[in-house]
Every structure is written in structure tokens, then in C-alpha cells.
Amino acid sequence: MAKQTNKKDENDSFMMKVATFIVDRRNLFFLLFGIMIIFSVISMNWVKVENAMSAYLPDSTETRQGLDRMEEQFITYGTAKVMVTNIPYDEAERIADRLENLDTVIMLTFDNTPEHYNNFSALYDITFGYEETDERALDALDEVKAMLSDYDLYVSTSMGDASAEQIAGEMKVISVLVAVVVVTVLLLTSQTWAEVPVLLLTFCAAAIITKGTNFFMGTISFVSNSVTIVLQLALSIDYAVIFCNRYKEEHQKLSIREADIIALSKAIPEISSSSLTTIGGLIAMMFMQFGIGSDMALCLIRAILLSLLAVFLLMPGLIMLFGKAMDRTVHKSFIPKIPFVGKFAYKTRHVMPLVFVVLIVAAYIVSSKCPYVYGYTMLETPVKSDSMIVDEMIEESFGASNMVALIVPAGNYEKEKQLLKELDLRPEVDYTMGLSNTEAMDGYMLTDKLTAREFSELLELDYEVAELLYMTYAVNDENYAKIVNGLSAYSVPLIDIFMFLYDEVKEGYVTLEDDMMETLEDAHSKMQIALDQLQGEDYSRMLVYLNLPEEGDETFAFLDEMHEIAGKYYEGTILIPGEATSQYDLYKTFQTDNTVVNVVSILAVLVVLLFTFMSAGMPVLLIMIIQGAIWINFSFPAIQGKNLFFMSYLIVSSIQMGANIDYAIVISGRFMELKDKMSKKDAIIETMNFAFPTIVTSGSMLALAGIFIGQMSSDGAICGIGQCLGRGTIISIFIVMFVLPQILLLGEKIIDKTSFAVSIPLKMERTAGLMRIDGMVQGQISGTIIGEVHGFVRGEASLFVNMGKLEPREDDDSELEELIQKEKNMRAEVTE
């Protein structure tokens, strides 16, 4: 019994009006899209890209709080590690002297230790006199490079966007390759040559507008900026292909304009429904605590919506423009029929479902042991960036460096000294750096307390001048008891009295000889740099260099222990920002994000499928298929023992659930439509023949796009997304082709029994004159007819329209003659 409602008739009529308006007003939409494209070409230069992963950590994480606190309290100068190879130590010393003499270099660390000279290579730690975000710091680095251009030089720095520029260059190459693949696939799967430019123009318009509207988000992540357009192509090209196929089907019996209108009226609800599963999977990413998930989800959802608009509003007009060319360039399809797949499915319908259940249980167990990592240091990529190569070379000669900052309340140098001393005794710590253990002059540390006599001896300053200086300091410090009781025992931290002396000299209260003034100027410069970096108004910062990898259970455990150690000396906020802490924070957010993303993506897709198939059983079967494919996909890194960036899993599992399930929907929908019209064997054979062109077109694009990204990107996160997406798509295609048909054959009774669709009595339609009939009908046409009809009838008809529609037409012989002539031409082509 067919199912049809008056509401559906109203919707069909509304869609016809909408489709007619779009087709007939195509020049208006050409103009609108032209304006949007021009605007987008300009606005894409306004987009800001965030290259730091840490920027997307939740505000509640220690790393985010620590970075914010450091930005408020301290100045971070631009730094670089410069390695010069193939030089003797004498030459390395001469280079160090030349570097120190540069006005832009305010600090240089180099000595004859294995940390700075090893294997005829010298490593210089350079600090420039500008903040790391200042363009002048990059200019200063360029000056160093120019000065040492005659040597074998390798530079590692966090300044600038060298990595981002390399990623952008890689993605341009990948985009070109994906474009070549798309054109090739479309040519091979097309039925007319002229449909290819229609599809490409539609997508290119959507891609340009997507790129241009990124600036509405303010700032997007480097991941979203890199992969959105490539994934948009792979995810949304389906929509254009579905509409084009609809048009070609309608055009077999209708003129270009009518076929365009009817195809569009049918495609809008069909494509919109199809896109909801993809959008549902992407929505799950918005529930991640890690902000890149939300950033990428918003970018991709917007990209898909813009693709839908291009298909619904621009493509109908393009079909009208290229319609005649499409008629002239019809060619034989290169996609073969695959009856063997349907026959195999029917023969193995009792075996494959059991095998699949065993396989996904095993895959679930194995994938749960996937070696996730939360930083880049333990990742391997097929392509290495220039910065990665340099870092590896420096690490090979001088070892790796794992530094975290320890931020504590300011104001107590003695506690800081004790804390650093305790940390230095720990085997997990290589060395520490803070104001209290940084040497100032002649063995004195910056925070050591000196009396007036000790200070005068240190600077060779007249004792009376020193005493007067200490007295003035005590008055400013409101420490009048020291003045009354005598200054001989009054001691002041070296850095404080030094900075006070400098201020007094600048104010003109104290006059020094030239050589002493030069010493004071030099010492003040170095002390000010130390203060800028290590002491803020409310907090002090210490640097702790660990003998541990950046991530791992041992590292994470010691970070917790550092909090306990610091807590013995300080009350209040204690923060330990650094790469290790960032990865610890990511590890903790992943534990929640993993569950949330999986549950939300499944629920979102489940809701869409429930209303698509009006059955409780079908969504469960389809989700089981794709979730099984996801588990199999992420079993590979576990089996290979290959580390996987955690974000790659979260993003790809969402995309795989939302996008790949479309392949399962195509097969399931067609089979449920055919199973009551023919034998189950014939139905599954016909279903697979029908679905294969759609799956191979979309699936090959998505798989190849993923493979190119995975093999050609040097960024660990982007590379992981590509590898997992390419592999996951191939696995999904294989499963929906060789496992889903058997599950449908075995479970179709369950699907029918769990259906909750309501049957509505059929409406008898009566008309006379010329009419258009499309679909499965039952009734009388000046006689009796039962069957599927596509054509014109002149006479009287009383019909139950089970599927399709009956439309009265004006009694115009010319239209009927046109149809007859077209039918003759088609039969002549078939005969040839």
C-alpha cells in the first residue's frame, strides 16, 4: 500500500513554485552570485588565522590561564636557537663575539659545554631586544642570518609564521591535485561531457564564497583554513551530482526547462535531507571542549550550506545555459554494472552479518588501545617541514629541551630560592632559572641581600655614597627603624638596590664616574631584561627544564608533583604553563570530548535517519555499519603501533559518521523501494547497480582528498586527519558494498516491523483531456491499466496514483508531437 498525504501534495506544489521561480529568475541569481564572488575574492584577504593550538584550549585549563597570566605580567622577548655546523671551537667563539656586538641582540648564551658546542657544531641561544610578536624581532633574526650566510646555518624559532606559510603552500598543491582528481572522476562518471563544467562552476562558486566568508568568524584555526575547501569539495560534490542525475532522468521525457524545474523540485528536499546527516555529524564537534572542534565544525557546516545554496540557486541556471551542449555531448557511461556484487550479497546473506559482528567487536577492542598523543613531538609525517628538520638536527647534536614555566605569587625571593633549590635536586629536572639563582656579579645572585659595605665593595663605590643610597632606599621603603638603629646590618636584594641606584643616577641625585657609569648601564640592561621576563607586578616566573619527554604518564605525574612542591612555599594561584602542560590539558579534555562527540554524532544522525526511513530498525542497522567502519579505521594505528594525534580521531570520526552514512542511505533507500516490486535477489542486484555510480563518484573524491592531505602535509594534525579520512572512507565504501546488502536482506523484516509510518487512504483522481502521468498508477484509462507510466495520455482517466503524480495539461498537439518525435529518436539510438 502506497503512502501519500494531502500535506505532501501541498509541499510538492510549493516546491514546484519555488523551482520555477529559481529557474525563470536565473539571471537574478547569476548577478547575486557574481557580486558574492567578487566580494569574497576581496574579503578572503581579511581572514585572520590562529596558528597556536593552545589558543583553543578551554579557559578553565591551566595552560590557558598560565598563558593569559604571562601575557599580563611579563614581557616575552623574541628568541632563536641558531646552530652553525662544521666549525672549530675558536671560530665558534669569534661568531659569538660578533653576535654579541649586534645592537639588536640583548642576550647570548654560548660556552664550551656539550649543551652549546658538540660534534664541530655550535648552538647559540639568542634573545633579541624586541617582543616576540614585534616585526623588528624578525628583522633582527634576518640580520643574524645575513651575517652568518657563509656558514652552514640552521635556525629554530617560534617567531613568525614560517610553518603556517609552508602548510599554506602544501595545501595549494593538494588543492590542485584534488581538483585534477575531481575533474577526472567527473569525466569518467559523467554521461555528457558538458555536465562537467556545470558541476565545477557550481563548486568553485561555493568554494570561493566559503573562503571569503571566513572573515565573519573573526579568526579561524590553521586546521580549518587548511582543509575546509578540500573537504567541502569531497563532502558536497554529491549534491551537485544528485541534482544533475535528476535532471538527466527528467530530461529523457521533458524539455530542458521543464526537466530543470521538476528535477529541482525533487532535488531540494532529497539533497537537504541527505545533507542533514553530514551536518549532524559535524554538530557533534561543536560540543568539544577543545575549541578547534567548534571552529572546524562551523567552517564546514557553513561550507556545506553554501554548497547547497550554489546547487539550488546557481546550478539550475547553469543547466539552462549548458543544456543544449549537454544534449550534444552525450557519451557512453564508463561506470560498469556490478551484478556480481548483488549476487554475492544474496549468496552470503546468512554469513557476512555474523562475520561483520565478530569483526566490529574485535575492532572495538583493538581501537580502544589506539596510541593517541597530544603534541607533535611523537608524531611522524611523510613530509617534514623545514622547521621539523632543523629541530631534529639540533636535537641530534644537543639533545631535546622540555621547558615549563612556574608562576607563583611575587614578593618573596627567599621562598623562590628554596623552591628552585628543591627542584634542582629532583632527577626529573635538568636545571632551573629564576631571579634567585641567576648570577649578577662576582658570584652574587640577583636576589642575594647585600649590606651597604658589601655593595660598595662590589661596585668599588665610595662607602659614604653607598650608605647614603641605602638610607634613601630605607626611607622610600618606609623602613625608618633601619635609619634609627643604624644601617650597618641593613641588607637589600642586589637587584633592588641596583635598580634603585640606576633611577637615582638618572634623576640626578647621584653622580658616578664614567667607567662606573658604564658598568651600571650594562648591569642595568641585563637586570631589566631579567625583571621583564621573570618578575611581574603580582607574579614571579621561574623556568624549569625537565629531563622528561613532553608527554607521557611520567611527565604528567611530575607536573602534578610540581604543584605539590610549590604549594609548600606559596599559597594562592600556582600555574605551570608549557608544552607538557598543554598536552596534559589536551589529554584531560580528550577523555570527555571523546565520549561527547561519539554520543552526539550518533544521536544527531539517528534522529535524521528516523525521520528519513520512518523506522526504528533501519537507523540502528545503518549506524552500526558506519560505527563499525570507524572502529575498524582506528584499529589500524593500534595494530601498526603508530601514534595518532587525538584531534584527528575526534574530527574524522564525526565526518565519517556524518558523510559516509550517505552511501548506506543510498543503498538502503533503493532496496526498500524495490524489495516489494521484485524478488529480493533481483532487488539487491538492481540496488547495487543503481548505487555504485553515486558511491564511486563521491567516495573516490573523499578518499583521494584524504590520501593527498595525509601524504603531503607536514603538520601532524592535518596529516592525521587526511590519513584517517582517506582510510576510513575506503573502509566505509567496502563495508556498504559488501556487508550492508547482506544485512538488509537479513534484516528487512525487522525494518518493516519497526516501521512507524502511517498509511493514508489513496485519493482517486479524475480528469479528462490531455494529461501528464508519472509514476505507479492503478485505475482506468478508457480501459484498465496497472503499471508504471511515464508519458502523455489523451482521454479519460480515473486513477489511484500510488507513486508519482498526475497533471492535467493544455490540449496542445505540438507538445505531444514533440514527445513522440523524442521517443522515436531515443529508440533509433538504442537500435543503433
Side-chain angles (χ1 to χ4, degrees), residues 50-53 163-168 170-171 174 221-224 226-227 292 375-377 379-388 645 647-648 651 708-723:
E50 176 58 66
N51 297 307
M53 285 277 191
S163 295
E165 292 171 3
Q166 180 158 347
I167 292 172
E170 291 168 354
M171 293 310 301
I174 292 171
S221 71
F222 72 96
V223 179
S224 301
S226 299
V227 303
I292 279 187
Y376 283 8
T377 57
L379 289 174
E380 294 182 4
T381 56
V383 177
K384 294 185 185 296
S385 66
D386 295 340
S387 61
M388 291 169 65
F645 193 57
M647 191 178 69
S648 303
I651 291 174
F708 284 139
I709 293 173
Q711 294 301 312
M712 300 182 66
S713 176
S714 60
D715 182 84
I718 297 173
C719 173
I721 291 172
Q723 290 175 342

Side-chain angles (χ1 to χ4, degrees), residues 18 92 95 403 471 500 582-583 786:
V18 170
I95 291 175
M403 184 270 288
M471 185 179 297
F500 182 72
S582 174
Q583 291 166 35
I786 299 177

Side-chain angles (χ1 to χ4, degrees), residues 2-12 757-763 765 801-802:
K3 303 167 179 74
Q4 187 168 330
T5 64
N6 290 332
K7 187 175 181 180
K8 182 177 184 301
D9 293 336
E10 294 173 4
N11 288 340
D12 289 345
V758 179
S759 297
I760 304 297
L762 298 177
K763 182 178 70 173
E765 298 188 27
V801 182
N802 294 350

Side-chain angles (χ1 to χ4, degrees), residues 625-683:
I625 287 288
I626 300 302
Q627 186 60 56
I630 292 172
W631 287 333
I632 294 171
N633 184 15
F634 290 99
S635 295
F636 279 81
I639 294 171
Q640 297 169 341
K642 184 178 179 181
N643 292 332
L644 178 67
F645 193 57
F646 80 103
M647 191 178 69
S648 303
Y649 168 78
L650 293 173
I651 291 174
V652 172
S653 61
S654 298
I655 294 175
Q656 194 173 349
M657 175 59 73
N660 292 173
I661 205 165
D662 282 350
Y663 312 148
I665 291 173
V666 171
I667 293 174
S668 304
R670 188 67 171 184
F671 175 74
M672 297 306 291
E673 180 184 333
L674 297 177
K675 70 183 181 65
D676 295 327
K677 300 179 182 178
M678 57 186 73
S679 69
K680 302 294 186 294
K681 181 178 180 180
D682 291 341

Side-chain angles (χ1 to χ4, degrees), residues 347-406:
K347 288 181 180 179
T348 60
R349 64 189 183 279
H350 297 294
V351 178
M352 288 302 294
L354 295 176
V355 173
F356 181 66
V357 169
V358 173
L359 180 62
I360 63 173
V361 170
Y364 170 75
I365 295 171
V366 175
S367 64
S368 65
K369 303 182 186 300
C370 187
Y372 297 112
V373 294
Y374 308 91
Y376 283 8
T377 57
M378 299 176 68
L379 289 174
E380 294 182 4
T381 56
V383 177
K384 294 185 185 296
S385 66
D386 295 340
S387 61
M388 291 169 65
I389 294 172
V390 169
D391 289 341
E392 286 181 1
M393 292 184 67
I394 292 176
E395 183 177 341
E396 183 179 348
S397 296
F398 300 99
S401 176
N402 179 15
M403 184 270 288
V404 295
L406 177 57

